[in-house]
Amino acid sequence: MNGADPRRPTTYGEVSLAVLMRTAEANLAGNIHGGEIVKLADSTAGAVSSRHAGGQTVTAALDEMVFIAPVHVGDIVHTYGRVNWVGRTSLEVGVRIEAQPHSDPSVGGVHVASAYFVMVALNPDGTPREVPPLLLESAEDHRRWREAQIRRAHRLAKREEILRGRNA
Ligand SMILES: CC(C)(COP(=O)(O)OP(=O)(O)OC[C@H]1O[C@@H](n2cnc3c(N)ncnc32)[C@H](O)[C@@H]1OP(=O)(O)O)[C@@H](O)C(=O)NCCC(=O)NCCS
């Protein structure tokens, strides 16, 4: 990173976590509760956004958490998070989650879920704080930014319409 350039690359805040799933996180069928996966993804997003912002962040919104395949007891769950988009005080973090049996390294990670988190950086007094801009370096970075803008427009439009309906 150039010292005079406040922008941070999408890779700056990247975080990957790996956790072994145990029976405590499972339902009676031996599948891991979706909420456990959400918690892991949220922790990943929190670490990514705090790194990018250089301080405390909170989860403002979570959408499009898609569960593609079940996770079982004994799977190692890997999360991969990175910043997709940055606004003034908020940023979107995309998290990809993969699972792999702990006892069989020949089986590659299976994509089990993906999620998009809106995180907001906070000052010590709890008010939103400006975050460093994002440096887009690759075609993938530009694609993620563009798609994050679409999600943001939908989120804000939905919120506005609901509030308008309540105040009508
Ligand atoms: C997130 C929070 C700080 C936002 O506070 P606020 O007074 O609404 O602040 P603002 O209106 O200035 O919004 C701050 C930013 O968040 C964005 N934002 C807030 N709610 C959002 C939502 N539902 N969807 C998308 N963006 C949202 C705003 O667009 C703004 O982004 P920008 O500065 O990049 O343009 C506040 O709602 C909060 O503290 N929520 C609780 C967070 C928490 O405890 N999370 C853990 C849950 S267990």
Side-chain angles (χ1 to χ4, degrees):
M1 191 175 58
N2 182 336
D5 187 345
R7 295 176 301 169
R8 291 184 169 166
T10 59
T11 47
Y12 183 86
E14 262 184 357
V15 167
S16 174
L17 303 180
V19 180
L20 177 64
M21 292 293 131
R22 302 158 310 164
T23 49
E25 285 102 36
N27 60 25
L28 293 176
N31 292 342
I32 301 302
H33 288 292
E36 296 293 339
I37 306 299
V38 174
K39 192 173 162 189
L40 258 181
D42 190 28
S43 298
T44 308
V48 171
S49 55
S50 294
R51 283 174 172 221
H52 182 89
Q56 193 204 344
T57 59
V58 287
T59 310
L62 157 64
D63 66 6
E64 294 193 29
M65 180 99 201
V66 179
F67 295 99
I68 302 159
V71 179
H72 303 105
V73 172
D75 283 353
I76 299 172
V77 170
H78 300 265
T79 64
Y80 304 93
R82 56 146 63 192
V83 177
N84 289 336
W85 174 92
V86 162
R88 199 178 69 82
T89 65
S90 68
L91 55 160
E92 187 198 85
V93 177
V95 182
R96 178 185 171 97
I97 301 132
E98 294 183 1
Q100 187 179 33
H102 78 285
S103 56
D104 188 354
S106 70
V107 179
V110 173
H111 183 200
V112 293
S114 286
Y116 300 98
F117 291 83
V118 178
M119 311 297 293
V120 177
L122 296 183
N123 289 307
D125 66 359
T127 55
R129 176 172 69 81
E130 281 190 38
V131 290
L134 196 62
L135 174 62
L136 303 178
E137 295 176 299
S138 66
E140 272 292 277
D141 288 348
H142 285 275
R143 179 186 64 75
R144 291 196 172 104
W145 176 281
R146 197 175 55 246
E147 293 176 6
Q149 278 187 310
I150 295 170
R151 283 187 291 273
R152 174 174 168 82
H154 280 256
R155 270 182 214 117
L156 296 180
K158 189 168 64 180
R159 188 171 65 162
E160 212 170 283
E161 196 172 338
I162 287 171
L163 290 177
R164 209 177 27 245
R166 286 184 187 176
N167 296 330

